[in-house]
């Protein structure tokens, strides 16, 4: 393949999955009712504050957090019923982009390696359950979820880890596709990858980083990506 591009890495939320605006307090309030109904308002507020703090650390220090870390910071013990409610609340917001399956199959047909790199507090198991549900798990050669590594995007090590997970050895052979100009575009370009921006997400202002990257290409739909790759031949 021309330019030695043989690997395409994707962000998940807002890229492979469609962007949804989330009422985080409502999600945690529903969960908190099952933990301690009498203190549900208090616990929900503490959980929101803990999760917001985690994403601020991700933005400013590029360090990762897990769902368990959020609960620990909020001094909340997650029960099985509460975890099931948390996943139920998030379920509608994990919807796969309508173009994703066709685009991934086309990339696989063309011989590209496919990887995923997601800033997330969720476990690998949770993400793989979602990918299996959406019939794309078998199309992904490797994935890195920041809940299982020390860093978050845009830290260079996250991109290099995702590159290796997908089977690639040279950042210049990789293209990263994402919805965030800081985490995805700026971060990928800093390690030598090309970056494609899909600009449909309503990024919360407190998650916008200190620098916006200038993408190598911008697409409005995932189905446009194979054509962009063709144009770089």
């Amino acid at each position: 393949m021309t330019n030695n591009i043989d690997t395409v890495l994707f962000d998940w939320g807002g890229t492979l999955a469609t962007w949804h605006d989330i009422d985080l307090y409502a999600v945690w309030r529903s969960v908190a009712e099952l933990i301690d109904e009498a203190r549900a308002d208090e616990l929900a507020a503490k959980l929101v504050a803990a999760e917001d703090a985690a994403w601020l650390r991700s933005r400013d220090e590029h360090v990762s957090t897990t769902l368990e870390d959020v609960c620990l910071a909020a001094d909340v013990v997650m029960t099985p019923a509460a975890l099931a409610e948390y996943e139920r609340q998030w379920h509608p917001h994990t919807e796969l982009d309508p173009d994703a399956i066709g685009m991934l199959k086309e990339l696989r047909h063309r011989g590209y390696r496919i990887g995923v790199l997601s800033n997330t507090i969720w476990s690998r198991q949770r993400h793989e359950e979602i990918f299996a549900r959406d019939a794309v798990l078998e199309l992904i050669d490797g994935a890195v979820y920041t809940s299982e590594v020390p860093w978050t995007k845009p830290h260079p090590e996250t991109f290099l880890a995702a590159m290796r997970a997908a089977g690639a050895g040279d950042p210049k052979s990789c293209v990263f596709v994402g919805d965030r100009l800081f985490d995805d575009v700026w971060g990928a370009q800093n390690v030598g990858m090309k970056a494609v921006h899909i600009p449909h997400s309503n990024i919360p202002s407190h998650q916008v980083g200190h620098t916006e990257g200038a993408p190598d290409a911008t697409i409005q739909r995932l189905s446009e990506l194979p054509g962009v790759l063709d144009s770089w031949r």
Side-chain angles (χ1 to χ4, degrees), residues 116-177:
V116 169
L117 171 59
S118 177
N119 278 2
T120 180
I121 63 174
W122 299 354
S123 67
R124 171 176 292 271
Q125 178 182 344
R126 179 64 179 136
H127 284 280
E128 289 186 347
E129 288 171 351
I130 292 168
F131 284 139
R133 177 202 71 193
D134 293 338
V136 297
L137 184 60
E138 68 276 9
L139 298 175
I140 297 169
D141 295 297
V144 169
Y145 306 104
T146 60
S147 57
E148 60 182 15
V149 297
W151 330 277
T152 60
K153 295 177 292 180
H155 195 291
E157 288 298 330
T158 60
F159 292 94
L160 297 177
M163 174 191 74
R164 292 189 291 265
D170 181 358
K172 290 183 172 58
S173 74
C174 301
V175 175
F176 194 86
V177 184

Side-chain angles (χ1 to χ4, degrees), residues 27-103:
V27 170
W28 280 122
R29 179 66 171 74
S30 181
V31 172
E33 284 183 3
L34 296 178
I35 297 171
D36 187 340
E37 187 173 3
R39 298 175 59 216
D41 288 337
E42 173 197 348
L43 296 184
K46 290 170 71 174
L47 286 159
V48 169
E51 185 168 350
D52 281 346
W55 290 119
L56 287 176
R57 287 193 301 274
S58 173
R59 182 195 69 186
D60 296 336
E61 302 171 41
H62 318 322
V63 295
S64 62
T65 304
T66 66
L67 181 59
E68 292 76 15
D69 291 335
V70 169
C71 292
L72 184 65
D75 195 24
V76 169
V77 177
M78 182 75 83
T79 65
L83 180 58
E85 174 64 13
Y86 177 83
E87 292 180 354
R88 189 189 72 82
Q89 287 285 329
W90 272 98
H91 180 81
H93 309 305
T94 63
E95 179 183 16
L96 189 70
D97 184 278
D99 289 348
I101 291 179
M103 177 272 301

Side-chain angles (χ1 to χ4, degrees), residues 94-113:
T94 63
E95 179 183 16
L96 189 70
D97 184 278
D99 289 348
I101 291 179
M103 177 272 301
L104 291 172
K105 287 182 175 179
E106 178 63 22
L107 294 187
R108 173 57 57 81
H109 175 72
R110 296 179 182 211
Y112 289 99
R113 298 186 187 95

Side-chain angles (χ1 to χ4, degrees), residues 158-230:
T158 60
F159 292 94
L160 297 177
M163 174 191 74
R164 292 189 291 265
D170 181 358
K172 290 183 172 58
S173 74
C174 301
V175 175
F176 194 86
V177 184
D179 63 322
R180 295 177 182 242
L181 289 170
F182 177 57
D183 308 57
D184 299 329
V185 172
W186 186 74
Q189 290 174 333
N190 276 347
V191 297
M193 297 179 181
K194 284 186 176 291
V196 176
H197 186 220
I198 184 160
H200 297 316
S201 300
N202 181 25
I203 310 299
S205 59
H206 64 278
Q207 292 183 20
V208 174
H210 56 69
T211 304
E212 291 191 344
D216 296 285
T218 300
I219 57 176
Q220 302 302 318
R221 297 185 61 174
L222 289 175
S223 58
E224 299 170 28
L225 182 61
V228 169
L229 299 174
D230 284 346

